[in-house]
């Protein structure tokens, strides 16, 4: 098979897994049009349509799904063969593909990736930030990041950061007008700003003190999938907001926000990098795991 054929097959696999040309292009740092042309070239060569394209989605046809199922292990074997050669290098090369929650992409990885990339100039990192729970290996990622309660039992997990915590915050002006809740149940009497994940779900606000756990679902004055909008609204006095302390650290330090019920919001275990427990690890992933162990 010619090199161009193999490259086009690789592109098809990437687009089919990402369910879109733009998503695959963003991961690879190339134009969506170049990926589209590669898939069209492959379809013309094979004489069959491989992807159904609409304005909203890209999905494999029956023929495309069959090809994807056969290609995935073959491409994995090729990657493994190349990576075994990579092990003989003084410094690893290749691409590390990570699937992480948006909070990790925003507040944890910015502290880690610049140092890791400086140590390993031959490694490139592709990060997909999303809050839905997928099979990261089936989707073509080397590893994922999740919190303790979401970890698969058959995966190896390595701490990515130290403990984190939620805080309940509002602006000084809001507290001056509406008072401060003295107990978690008092929150139900306040205007609240809530976050909704891309899946459509919104988690209950959980409080814990002296072994007592209280979960509440306050009525939202504002609901959003965008943390920056939520933070701006909170600083403007719209209502109470429960979120990661890292998200509001600057606003708290500057006095634009104040926290309440701190004794009901203890720290919890931070996120973990997780990956399959296999004998051979891709060199970029092994380098990242070793790097995380030195960061503890």
């Amino acid at each position: 098979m010619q090199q161009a054929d193999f490259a086009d097959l690789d592109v098809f696999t990437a687009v089919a897994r990402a369910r879109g040309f733009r998503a695959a292009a963003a991961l690879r740092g190339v134009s969506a049009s170049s990926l589209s042309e590669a898939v069209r070239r492959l379809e013309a060569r094979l004489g069959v349509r491989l992807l159904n394209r609409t304005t909203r989605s890209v999905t494999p046809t029956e023929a495309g799904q069959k090809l994807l199922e056969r290609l995935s292990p073959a491409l994995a074997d090729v990657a493994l063969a190349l990576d075994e050669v990579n092990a003989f290098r003084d410094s690893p090369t290749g691409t590390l593909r990570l699937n992480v929650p948006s909070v990790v992409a925003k507040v944890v990885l910015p502290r880690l990736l610049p140092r890791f990339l400086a140590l390993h100039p031959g490694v490139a990192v592709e990060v997909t930030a999303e809050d839905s729970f997928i099979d990261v290996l089936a989707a073509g990622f080397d590893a994922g990041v999740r919190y303790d309660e979401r970890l698969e039992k058959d995966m190896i997990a390595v701490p990515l950061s130290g403990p984190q915590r939620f805080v309940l915050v509002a602006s000084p002006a809001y507290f001056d007008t509406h008072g401060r809740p003295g107990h978690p149940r008092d929150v139900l009497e306040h205007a609240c700003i809530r976050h909704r994940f891309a899946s459509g779900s919104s988690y209950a606000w959980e409080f814990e003190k002296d072994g007592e756990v209280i979960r509440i679902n306050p009525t939202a004055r504002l609901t959003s999938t965008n943390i920056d909008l939520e933070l701006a609204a909170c600083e403007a006095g719209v209502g109470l907001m429960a979120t990661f302390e890292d998200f509001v650290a600057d606003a708290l330090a500057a006095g634009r926000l104040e926290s309440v019920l701190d004794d009901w919001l203890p720290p919890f275990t931070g996120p973990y990098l997780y990956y399959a427990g296999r004998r051979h690890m891709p060199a970029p992933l092994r380098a990242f795991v070793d790097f995380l162990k030195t960061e503890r």
Side-chain angles (χ1 to χ4, degrees):
M1 179 176 285
Q2 297 177 358
Q3 183 177 3
D5 295 333
F6 182 84
D8 290 350
L9 287 169
D10 185 45
V11 167
F12 160 72
T13 303
V15 173
R17 285 172 170 170
R19 291 296 194 267
F21 289 96
R22 289 185 180 179
L27 284 174
R28 295 188 163 218
V30 298
S31 68
S33 61
S34 67
L35 300 189
S36 180
E37 175 58 31
V39 172
R40 282 198 297 268
R41 187 166 55 238
L42 180 62
E43 289 176 328
R45 185 179 300 117
L46 297 177
V48 64
R49 178 176 288 275
L50 299 174
L51 296 173
N52 290 316
R53 306 159 174 83
T54 70
T55 56
R56 294 186 177 182
S57 66
V58 174
T59 57
T61 62
E62 183 178 0
Q65 185 61 38
K66 292 291 185 182
L67 180 60
L68 181 63
E69 291 171 359
R70 296 296 296 271
L71 277 178
S72 294
L75 290 174
D77 286 342
V78 171
L80 178 60
L82 293 174
D83 204 60
E84 287 177 345
V85 176
N86 195 14
F88 288 91
R89 297 176 180 270
D90 293 333
S91 179
T93 64
T95 300
L96 173 63
R97 297 176 176 86
L98 301 176
N99 181 279
V100 310
S102 56
V103 61
V104 171
K106 190 175 182 68
V107 303
V108 177
L109 291 184
R111 298 195 296 262
L112 296 173
L113 287 185
R115 294 199 298 274
F116 172 71
L117 292 171
L119 287 172
H120 299 285
V123 174
V125 179
E126 295 179 359
V127 177
T128 297
E130 59 183 350
D131 295 311
S132 58
F133 298 102
I134 64 170
D135 184 336
V136 295
L137 298 181
F141 296 97
D142 297 303
V145 175
R146 294 290 180 264
Y147 286 86
D148 191 29
E149 71 275 9
R150 296 287 183 174
L151 289 174
E152 300 291 341
K153 301 304 180 185
D154 59 345
M155 293 286 185
I156 296 175
V158 178
L160 193 68
S161 74
Q164 295 179 302
R165 68 187 294 259
F166 279 102
V167 289
L168 184 66
V169 297
S171 68
Y174 177 87
F175 286 133
D176 289 344
T177 302
H178 302 280
R180 297 169 178 265
H183 188 275
R185 293 190 181 90
D186 296 340
V187 173
L188 295 172
E189 301 173 5
H190 285 260
C192 294
I193 300 167
R194 301 195 63 180
H195 184 78
R196 177 177 292 152
F197 295 97
S199 63
S201 64
S202 294
Y203 292 146
W205 291 1
E206 184 173 300
F207 301 85
E208 180 180 354
K209 183 179 179 181
D210 299 330
E212 181 183 6
V213 177
I214 298 175
R215 295 181 180 87
I216 63 172
N217 275 294
T219 300
R221 185 80 189 280
L222 171 66
T223 303
S224 171
T225 60
N226 183 277
I227 185 64
D228 294 319
L229 172 61
E230 296 156 31
L231 179 57
C234 191
E235 292 187 13
V238 171
L240 297 172
M241 176 180 175
T243 190
F244 283 90
E245 186 174 29
D246 292 313
F247 278 153
V248 294
D250 291 343
L252 287 170
R256 299 192 304 272
L257 294 177
E258 297 176 359
S259 63
V260 291
L261 301 179
D262 290 337
D263 55 339
W264 280 91
L265 294 163
F268 55 85
T269 304
Y272 290 82
L273 177 82
Y274 73 97
Y275 54 94
R278 55 193 177 190
R279 182 179 62 181
H280 181 85
M281 289 171 57
L285 176 58
R286 182 177 297 279
F288 191 54
V289 170
D290 291 344
F291 167 76
L292 291 178
K293 292 178 179 177
T294 67
E295 290 293 303
R296 293 180 185 174

